[in-house]
Amino acid sequence: MPTETHLLPATPEGVAQASAVLGAGGLVAFPTETVYGLGGDARNGRAVARIFEAKGRPSFNPLIVHVADVAAARRIVRFTEAAERLADAFWPGPLTLVLEARPEAGLSPLVMAGLPTVAVRVPAHPVAQALLTAFGGPVAGPSANPSGRVSPTRAGHVMDGLGGRIEAVLDGGACPVGVESTIVGAAGAPVLLRPGGLPVEVIEACLGAPLGAAGAGISAPGQLGSHYAPGAAVRLEATEARPGELLIGFGPVAGELTLSATGDMVEAAANLFHLLREADARAGGRVIAVAPVPDHGLGRAINDRLRRAAAPRG
């Protein structure tokens, strides 16, 4: 039975309605500075199960828990010295920390996907902050799109992908960062689990040491090999369009669409998912080719998403 999905304005009344939906065990998509998240009460096993169902998400892929502030995070995870330093420097913001979960926090085991750790972050977006404050509890919030597909950076993207599957979308406009949060495993020696909206170089400067590399297996969201994928096939490092291709340009490589004509990484990150969707809609059977993007700063996150979008699909 389809669910009626309500588009709510980012007003105090809309936030109150969204909070009430979460309190009743429903699902609400909400804006963060990175992408739209699909929120459910992280303590409600049925609500969390519905997140997996709505997304068609593999149950072994853990979810990020969003909280309003560091004090709320302390109630659900055990902080290490490195986590203290990173949270102090970068929260609220596009950084997720994976830490040992507190059993007394009452999180649904589905949130951790069977792991002893949980991914947690404090988003900076004012609408997300208003919702989390109004709700007063931890909100599990993966990206608000069908699993493996392009992440949503506008309310319309969410409606296109999840309309009829969730109760509400809180419309906060376009997400300013445009790629998901950087994920750092901080339960032990800090390791990079996923590049994202906070450049790795900035994190390493804060810690005074390089981040380690992630081991094998799924320990955080966004680590599946094929992810963020449009319907069309994707070819990377394209300097021109071949016959039967639609080219997304960057900098000096002009395309039918462009991430940033000036080579601005911030603009490219903010445009990435929206343009993948636009290209998919225009492709008409063509392959989507993407121009080279330098692999430093935000470019590392952009290239990570593009490699996953282009990966062979199971």
Side-chain angles (χ1 to χ4, degrees):
M1 178 77 73
T3 300
E4 184 179 2
T5 303
H6 298 278
L7 187 62
L8 303 176
T11 61
E13 295 76 17
V15 169
Q17 286 179 262
S19 175
V21 169
L22 291 174
L27 303 184
V28 177
F30 62 97
T32 75
E33 69 276 26
T34 57
V35 300
Y36 272 74
L38 177 55
D41 185 345
R43 303 159 299 190
N44 183 327
R46 182 174 177 80
V48 177
R50 283 196 58 217
I51 291 174
F52 286 107
E53 178 184 47
K55 285 179 64 68
R57 187 183 182 97
S59 61
F60 56 79
N61 204 2
L63 306 179
I64 293 175
V65 174
H66 294 71
V67 292
D69 51 38
V70 175
R74 291 187 196 283
R75 292 193 285 271
I76 63 174
V77 292
R78 293 189 171 97
F79 271 67
T80 60
E81 181 181 347
E84 295 278 4
R85 188 180 302 180
L86 293 172
D88 183 62
F90 302 120
W91 277 358
L95 173 68
T96 293
L97 297 176
V98 176
L99 295 163
E100 183 184 354
R102 292 184 179 274
E104 66 271 22
L107 298 179
S108 165
L110 291 172
V111 169
M112 287 90 81
L115 299 170
T117 53
V118 63
V120 62
R121 94 172 179 102
V122 179
H125 197 290
V127 177
Q129 278 287 318
L131 177 61
L132 292 166
T133 300
F135 179 60
V139 173
S143 56
N145 56 287
S147 186
R149 295 303 182 185
V150 181
S151 297
T153 55
R154 291 162 172 75
H157 297 165
V158 182
M159 294 294 286
D160 288 344
L162 297 179
R165 301 189 199 181
I166 65 177
E167 279 73 17
V169 179
L170 190 56
D171 187 356
C175 301
V177 175
V179 292
E180 293 86 354
S181 60
T182 303
I183 302 181
V184 172
V191 298
L192 178 66
L193 298 177
R194 180 182 76 183
L198 183 65
V200 171
E201 296 89 340
V202 175
I203 297 170
E204 292 177 334
C206 174
L207 292 173
L211 291 170
I218 303 295
S219 57
Q223 291 184 304
L224 294 175
S226 176
H227 207 51
Y228 316 107
V234 177
R235 181 174 73 90
L236 305 182
E237 302 294 326
T239 55
E240 61 182 8
R242 297 172 180 169
E245 290 187 338
L246 182 157
L247 178 62
I248 297 177
F250 177 81
V253 179
E256 187 172 326
L257 301 167
T258 184
L259 291 167
S260 172
T262 61
D264 185 302
M265 291 290 203
V266 174
E267 182 184 16
N271 284 336
L272 176 62
F273 289 135
H274 178 65
L275 291 188
L276 281 176
R277 287 172 176 272
E278 178 67 21
D280 207 23
R282 292 191 192 186
R286 290 182 289 172
V287 169
I288 297 171
V290 186
V293 176
D295 201 40
H296 60 77
L298 283 176
R300 291 180 67 171
I302 294 168
N303 284 320
D304 173 79
R305 303 313 187 271
L306 288 172
R307 283 191 292 270
R308 294 173 192 271
R313 301 167 195 183

